[in-house]
């Protein structure tokens, strides 16, 4: 039961020992909220003490108090300058903390309110100056006041037995007295510190009964027991000397915002509500307040009250919303998320340093934190929970086996469990289910472990839409969301949303040491505040030049989780030479060619780094090449299902739909899987491998994201899993060894590439019936290497390469290019050969049937196959 004590008087209580004291209390089992005759229930009892003092004594006390306050203020200022508060503990009984608030009336009168915190009390002085009243009328000015917390329109009731309090409005009238030192009128109140925090609200009444309000036509409202706080930074922050919490919350269109504080993590209703004053606690569109940490509150939220008309809207306005900037959140009994009044747990990063891998050398593995180790076959240690960040770190050896040096995590922001990871409701906290005890520290441990193994951590992030509930809804919908579009689309280039996104990105970089971000549905980042297309979107530009994000990978992915189909192509994504792109054209063209329906020109463009997209000042390293992803068909399903409903997937079932025992069909499917992986790894750009493709994960032809199954670690031991895992590892080694060709920041020079049809003639680039393509890549000469603007980081390799692709159902006899004396071709890969012979580190030398001088070498390429040859010096 909270007890209030209040004395109406001036200065310290010792000045009023001769006063006549009366006590009163009110039962508050329920009290009106002054809205639609509704009633709120509470457990407060207000006990008030009032002092009746003669006018002469009051005037004398006012003069003494005025002199005393000036002396003490001067002394305190001197002490702060000279002693730096080193003796604060010894002078606690003398310390006073004063906060001043200045108002003006419509008529131009100035009203100054000083709230002074003493050891156990709050003293409030109200000064009125520049008031146009004549003669003795000035001494008849009255302050009509009351106190409130959760609702500024309804004062807490004070049941006076014999007083001037209005029993209907719960207000009290107190007269001002004239200061003998100036023309000011003065009045003082004193409250027991235990009764704070609350608001003192008042208006002025002249002798004629005319009421004087602020220049905004509102009551004067002053916080007691807390302060106005600061509008920046947004969210929760510590005040000066870490003694208070500062709350800052954006809401442009709310007529009022209520700060809700909870003293119990299991409580469903706030222990305290403060209806923030729009004059004192609002700067621009930001509502703010500062509350001392001595209060034992543990969680917080906000209630936003917009101008509503319907009863349904009124009820929605009563919902308590989560602070968008809260970095620590938790659930209440009713499953409502609230911000926690605490900081992230400490973490020792030790000597953690980002691997800082050049873009062109990345090999990315996309995975779901939950799905990666959720299956019982993961066989994690008993102290590590399945489907968590720690589980990912435990499987780092598998990532290294594949040659991976970067993981791309599906969205880990707190998200709606009903809608899935791509529908977040919060942007500053990792999903709680991904941590064993603390999701925050579990993620940091994972990042630290992966960094120590030379693996970067990239995050898929969704800033273009949110979950339908538990997110930014109810804060300021017209600012955060688009009008007229789907209800969950964020207005990303609106200033406050732009600021939210930037702060979130900075937080994940500084707090979690994240190495980069892949922006899902990136095309929506190009929309203006009214939905129009922008060629220079402010958010994308701001991210590009933000100093805290410098050196971090930025990737645009135009896949929209609402559609669940292959991403649409964006004609041009503004990049400022900073943004890479998940290359949808690459996926389409490679799938089409492998199934025998693509153009040779499209394939050539893709394997050479998609010059039609990235010759705009970037280069092939900015192309993130994928064949399958977590949405759509898996790699195995791309060669197993091709029904009419899967037309957009550009798949081919190799002769029979779904599961089959036919050896010929199975062999073709295996070759096609090898072909996809081969093309992906020899293409210029960054290969992105999807979780489970190395072991044959299947959704039985379903392209839906929710159809994806957890990673089955037992499948790695299958014949398929063994050979595909080894092949991926081999191709990663080939890329690294021949980084001069496959890991380039710049495009290959045209003079170093020779294209062939099967008979060494010029390919028929635009002929849909042409299904064979080959190219010879000549090693750069010493002069070319020296002239290059890029400093070489690897030993020079003088060996040429020859690559062939046959997408037809017929074999093709290929004439390999002639070589200088002493050089021969060795075969590194032929996807048509049986395992383990279809790839080889040492390679197998290929010679002419009749070994005569200058005799051309002919090689038969089987149907649906790819080959890789490299020159060797036979005399070396």
């Amino acid at each position: 039961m909270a007890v209030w004590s209040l004395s109406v008087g001036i200065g310290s209580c010792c000045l009023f020992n001769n006063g006549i004291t009366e006590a009163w209390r009110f039962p508050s089992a329920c009290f009106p909220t002054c809205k639609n005759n509704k009633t709120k229930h509470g457990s407060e009892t207000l006990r008030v003490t009032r002092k009746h003092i003669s006018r002469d004594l009051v005037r004398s006390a006012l003069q003494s108090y005025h002199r005393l306050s000036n002396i003490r203020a001067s002394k305190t200022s001197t002490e702060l300058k000279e002693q730096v508060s080193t003796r604060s503990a010894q002078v606690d009984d003398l310390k006073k903390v004063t906060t001043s608030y200045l108002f003006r009336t419509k008529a131009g009168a100035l009203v100054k309110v000083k709230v002074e915190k003493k050891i156990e009390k709050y003293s409030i002085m109200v000064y009125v100056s520049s008031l146009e009243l004549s003669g003795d009328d000035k001494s008849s000015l009255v302050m009509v006041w009351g106190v409130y917390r959760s609702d500024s329109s309804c004062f807490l009731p004070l049941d006076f037995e014999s007083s001037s309090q209005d029993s209907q409005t719960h207000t009290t009238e107190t007269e001002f007295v004239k200061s003998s030192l100036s023309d000011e009128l003065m009045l003082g109140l004193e409250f027991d510190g235990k009764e704070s925090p609350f608001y003192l609200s008042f208006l002025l009444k002249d002798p004629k009964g005319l009421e004087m309000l602020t220049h905004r036509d509102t009551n004067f409202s002053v916080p007691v027991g807390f302060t106005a706080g600061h509008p920046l930074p947004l969210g929760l922050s510590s005040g000066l000397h870490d003694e208070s919490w500062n709350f800052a919350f954006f809401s442009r269109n709310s007529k009022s915002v209520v700060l809700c504080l909870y003293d119990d993590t299991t409580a469903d209703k706030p222990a305290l509500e403060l209806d923030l004053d729009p004059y004192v606690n609002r700067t621009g569109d930001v509502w703010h307040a500062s509350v001392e940490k001595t209060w034992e509150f543990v969680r917080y939220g906000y209630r936003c009250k917009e101008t509503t008309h319907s009863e349904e809207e009124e009820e929605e306005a009563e919902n308590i919303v989560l602070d968008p900037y809260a970095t620590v959140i938790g659930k209440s009994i009713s499953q409502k998320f609230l911000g926690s009044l605490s900081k992230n747990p400490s973490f020792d990063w030790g000597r953690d340093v980002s691997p800082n891998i050049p873009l062109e050398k990345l090999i990315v593995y996309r995975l779901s934190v939950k799905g990666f180790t959720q299956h019982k076959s993961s066989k994690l240690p008993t102290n590590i929970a399945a489907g968590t960040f720690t589980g990912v770190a435990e499987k780092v050896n598998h990532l290294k086996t594949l040659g991976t040096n970067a993981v791309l995590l599906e969205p880990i922001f707190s998200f709606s469990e009903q809608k899935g990871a791509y529908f977040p409701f919060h942007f500053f906290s990792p999903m709680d289910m991904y941590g064993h005890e603390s999701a925050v520290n579990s993620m940091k441990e994972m990042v630290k472990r992966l960094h120590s193994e030379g693996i970067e951590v990239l995050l898929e992030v969704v800033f273009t839409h949110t979950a339908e509930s538990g997110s930014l809804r109810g804060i300021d919908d017209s600012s955060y969301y688009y009008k007229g579009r789907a209800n969950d689309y964020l207005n990303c280039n609106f200033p406050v949303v732009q600021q939210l996104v930037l702060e979130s990105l900075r937080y994940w970089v500084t707090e979690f040491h994240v190495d980069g971000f892949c922006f899902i549905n990136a095309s929506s980042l190009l929309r203006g505040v009214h939905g129009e297309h922008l060629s220079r979107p402010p958010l994308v530009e701001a991210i590009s030049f933000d100093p805290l994000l410098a050196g971090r990978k930025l990737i645009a992915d135009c896949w929209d989780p609402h559609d669940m189909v292959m991403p649409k192509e964006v004609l041009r994504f503004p990049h400022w030479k900073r943004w890479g792109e998940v290359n949808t054209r690459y996926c389409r063209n490679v799938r089409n060619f492998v199934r025998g329906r693509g153009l040779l020109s499209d394939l050539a463009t893709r394997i050479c780094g998609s010059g039609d997209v990235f010759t705009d000042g970037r280069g092939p390293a900015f192309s993130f090449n994928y064949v399958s992803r977590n949405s759509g068909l898996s790699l195995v399903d791309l060669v197993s299902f091709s029904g009419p409903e899967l037309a957009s997937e550009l798949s081919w079932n190799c002769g029979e739909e779904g599961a089959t025992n036919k050896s010929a069909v199975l062999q073709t499917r295996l070759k096609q899987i090898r072909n996809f992986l081969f093309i992906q790894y020899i293409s210029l750009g960054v290969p992105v491998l999807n979780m489970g493709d190395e072991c044959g994960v299947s959704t039985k032809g379903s392209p839906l994201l929710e159809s994806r199954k957890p990673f089955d670690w037992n499948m790695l031991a299958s014949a398929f899993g063994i050979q595909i895992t080894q092949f991926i590892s081999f191709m990663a080694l080939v890329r690294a060894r021949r980084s001069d060709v496959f890991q380039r920041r710049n495009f290959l020079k045209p003079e170093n590439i020779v294209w062939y049809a099967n008979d060494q003639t010029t390919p028929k680039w635009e002929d849909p019936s042409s299904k064979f393509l080959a190219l010879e890549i000549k090693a750069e000469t010493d002069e070319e290497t020296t002239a290059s603007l890029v400093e070489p980081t690897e030993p020079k390799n003088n060996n040429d390469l020859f690559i062939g692709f046959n997408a037809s159902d017929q074999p093709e006899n290929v004439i390999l290019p002639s070589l200088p004396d002493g050089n021969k071709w060795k075969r590194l890969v032929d996807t048509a050969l049986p395992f383990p012979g279809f790839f080889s580190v040492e390679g197998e030398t290929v010679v002419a049937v009749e070994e005569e001088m200058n005799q051309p070498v002919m090689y038969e390429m089987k149907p649906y196959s790819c080959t890789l040859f490299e020159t060797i010096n036979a005399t070396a």
Side-chain angles (χ1 to χ4, degrees), residues 197-210:
F198 60 88
Y199 276 98
L200 170 68
S201 179
F202 63 90
L203 57 84
L204 306 178
K205 186 185 293 186
D206 68 10
K208 298 179 181 179
L210 296 177

Side-chain angles (χ1 to χ4, degrees), residues 117-294:
K117 179 186 177 184
K118 301 180 181 179
I119 296 176
E120 295 180 352
K121 295 181 180 180
Y122 283 94
S123 176
I124 300 175
M125 291 296 300
V126 183
Y127 303 87
V128 180
S129 60
S130 302
L131 185 64
E132 296 183 359
L133 294 177
S134 60
D136 293 336
D137 287 345
K138 289 188 177 181
S139 62
S140 302
L141 185 68
V142 173
M143 185 174 86
V144 183
W145 61 273
V147 295
Y148 70 86
R149 282 176 174 163
S150 62
D151 190 345
S152 61
S153 64
C154 184
F155 295 148
L156 296 174
L158 303 174
D159 242 350
F160 288 92
E161 294 175 357
S162 58
S163 71
S164 58
Q165 187 194 38
D166 189 307
S167 60
Q168 296 298 319
T169 62
H170 309 300
T171 57
T172 305
E173 293 188 2
T174 304
E175 278 190 29
F176 282 86
V177 295
K178 187 178 182 301
S179 170
S180 62
L181 303 179
S182 67
D183 227 13
E184 290 181 318
L185 297 178
M186 304 174 64
L187 179 151
L189 302 174
E190 194 169 81
F191 295 86
D192 191 325
K194 296 178 181 178
E195 316 307 338
S196 63
F198 60 88
Y199 276 98
L200 170 68
S201 179
F202 63 90
L203 57 84
L204 306 178
K205 186 185 293 186
D206 68 10
K208 298 179 181 179
L210 296 177
E211 295 181 350
M212 286 179 277
L213 303 174
T214 70
H215 68 287
R216 296 155 55 98
D217 271 337
T218 61
N219 277 16
F220 303 87
S221 290
V222 178
V224 180
F226 68 109
T227 61
H230 307 282
L232 293 175
L234 288 173
L236 180 71
S237 59
S238 291
L240 189 64
H241 306 307
D242 204 30
E243 294 177 350
S244 61
W245 290 114
N246 188 78
F247 302 85
F249 181 79
F250 172 91
S251 186
R252 168 178 288 183
N253 295 301
S254 291
K255 66 178 182 180
S256 71
V257 170
V258 178
L259 173 62
C260 303
L261 299 168
Y262 297 74
D263 59 3
D264 189 342
T265 56
T266 62
D268 200 37
K269 293 184 178 181
L272 175 68
E273 297 185 28
L274 296 173
D275 189 356
L276 302 182
D277 181 71
Y279 182 71
V280 172
N281 296 103
R282 180 172 181 173
T283 303
D285 299 325
V286 178
W287 302 75
H288 45 83
S290 180
V291 178
E292 292 183 1
K293 289 185 178 180
T294 52

Side-chain angles (χ1 to χ4, degrees), residues 295-309:
W295 299 102
E296 296 180 355
F297 298 117
V298 293
R299 288 184 179 170
Y300 72 103
Y302 296 93
R303 180 180 289 114
C304 300
K305 300 179 182 179
E306 296 189 51
T307 305
T308 56
H309 303 285

Side-chain angles (χ1 to χ4, degrees), residues 382-624:
T382 54
N383 63 327
I384 295 179
T388 62
F389 295 119
T390 313
V392 173
E394 189 67 21
K395 293 296 184 179
V396 66
N397 287 335
H398 177 65
L399 301 173
K400 294 177 68 177
T401 297
L402 295 173
T404 298
N405 56 20
V407 291
L408 176 59
L409 305 184
E410 292 180 16
I412 61 165
F413 293 178
S414 296
F415 58 81
S416 165
E417 294 187 41
Q418 291 74 32
K419 295 281 287 185
Y422 289 92
F423 292 86
F425 66 80
H426 194 59
F427 300 125
F428 287 85
S429 58
M431 189 65 180
D432 189 57
M433 71 166 71
Y434 291 163
H436 179 46
E437 294 179 352
S438 165
V440 170
N441 274 4
S442 292
M443 180 176 175
K444 291 178 180 179
E445 288 286 1
M446 177 199 71
V447 173
K448 184 178 178 181
R449 173 72 188 282
L450 294 179
H451 280 181
S452 69
E453 299 288 349
I455 299 175
E456 291 192 350
V457 178
L458 312 177
L459 302 183
E460 285 190 340
V461 292
V462 183
F463 290 115
T464 57
H465 57 270
T466 64
E468 294 175 359
S469 60
S471 54
L472 299 172
R473 282 288 173 197
I475 296 176
D476 192 337
D477 292 356
S478 59
S479 294
Y480 280 108
Y481 293 92
Y482 279 112
K483 294 180 180 179
R485 295 195 67 197
N487 290 335
D488 58 354
Y489 273 90
L490 287 174
N491 196 344
C492 294
N493 284 296
F494 193 78
V496 68
V497 185
Q498 178 181 331
Q499 182 180 358
L500 177 69
V501 173
L502 285 169
E503 290 294 342
S504 173
L505 295 174
R506 293 165 185 156
Y507 176 74
W508 289 98
V509 167
T510 56
E511 188 72 22
F512 293 92
H513 294 197
V514 167
D515 301 287
F517 304 93
C518 179
F519 294 77
I520 300 299
N521 196 17
S523 57
S524 288
L525 300 178
L526 311 184
R527 300 181 187 275
V529 296
H530 302 294
E532 72 279 13
H533 180 82
L534 301 176
S535 60
R536 191 169 182 169
L539 176 58
V540 176
E541 184 172 9
I543 293 172
S544 304
F545 294 101
D546 190 274
L548 290 181
L549 302 180
R552 307 295 165 171
K553 277 78 175 177
L554 303 176
I555 310 160
D557 185 351
C558 294
W559 174 67
D560 186 349
H562 292 88
D563 294 339
M564 289 298 176
V565 296
M566 189 177 292
K568 299 175 182 177
E569 298 176 11
V570 176
L571 295 178
R572 182 183 181 276
F573 191 90
H575 54 80
W576 287 275
K577 298 183 181 181
R578 285 281 285 120
W579 289 75
E581 296 181 41
V582 175
N583 197 338
T584 300
R585 296 186 189 183
Y586 180 92
C587 176
R588 291 179 181 274
N589 292 158
V590 171
R591 286 188 184 186
N592 261 330
F593 177 82
V594 171
R595 69 175 182 159
R597 300 186 186 180
L599 297 177
L600 299 183
S601 58
D602 290 337
L603 178 67
T605 301
R606 301 304 152 224
I607 62 178
C608 287
S610 297
D612 56 337
V613 179
F614 299 103
T615 52
D616 54 359
R618 289 180 287 180
F622 288 83
S623 175
F624 284 72

